[in-house]
Amino acid sequence: MSLFKVIVNSFDAKDVNAFIGLLHEDFVMVSHQTKTEIPRAQWIEIITGMYEGMKIGSMEFSKNRCIFENEKILVMHQIGKFSDGTKEAILVAHILKEGKIMKTETGATPIEWD
């Protein structure tokens, strides 16, 4: 199964452990917003909160699309809806190593449409 499908299935099932299982031991999240790199352990805390938000309905990722995927990179696009009522179009680049996500970078644009 493609990594994209595993990620989307984890969203649909609200299964954070399925997502965590995709993270390489040397994983890092690059935050361009804060100009920092977030290590794996800290990212797991953050995404655990995101999946909890999905479980209670305060956060949602929809319209997930695979832009490109091979053994080195997965580029996907999605719409994020957040507890404060805002929506963003999100472009995600996952750099892959050994079949796992080694590095993630995102870009988001606020939107006003569905």
Side-chain angles (χ1 to χ4, degrees), residues 2-14:
S2 77
L3 201 61
F4 171 76
K5 289 181 182 178
V6 174
I7 291 170
V8 172
N9 287 344
S10 79
F11 290 160
D12 292 343
K14 293 153 184 70

Side-chain angles (χ1 to χ4, degrees):
M1 180 181 300
S2 77
L3 201 61
F4 171 76
K5 289 181 182 178
V6 174
I7 291 170
V8 172
N9 287 344
S10 79
F11 290 160
D12 292 343
K14 293 153 184 70
D15 182 358
V16 70
N17 291 319
F19 187 85
I20 290 170
L22 300 174
L23 301 178
H24 191 278
E25 287 301 313
D26 297 323
F27 172 85
V28 65
M29 166 63 175
V30 177
S31 172
H32 295 284
Q33 187 176 40
T34 62
K35 297 178 176 54
T36 60
E37 289 189 353
I38 301 167
R40 184 179 191 272
Q42 187 179 354
W43 184 241
I44 288 172
E45 291 177 25
I46 292 168
I47 63 165
T48 298
M50 293 168 61
Y51 275 78
E52 288 301 316
M54 288 190 282
K55 284 181 184 177
I56 64 171
S58 64
M59 180 175 275
E60 176 186 340
F61 294 103
S62 63
K63 300 183 182 177
N64 297 289
R65 294 184 297 132
C66 179
I67 305 299
F68 182 81
E69 181 176 10
N70 67 17
E71 69 281 350
K72 294 182 180 182
I73 190 167
L74 165 60
V75 180
M76 56 187 289
H77 187 270
Q78 61 197 173
I79 303 298
K81 295 181 185 177
F82 305 97
S83 59
D84 63 1
T86 60
K87 297 177 196 172
E88 294 178 349
I90 305 166
L91 186 64
V92 182
H94 295 296
I95 307 302
L96 310 178
K97 182 178 179 183
E98 301 166 353
K100 300 222 174 201
I101 302 170
M102 177 71 155
K103 182 180 187 181
T104 297
E105 298 189 41
T106 64
T109 302
I111 56 174
E112 306 252 347
W113 49 269
D114 286 325

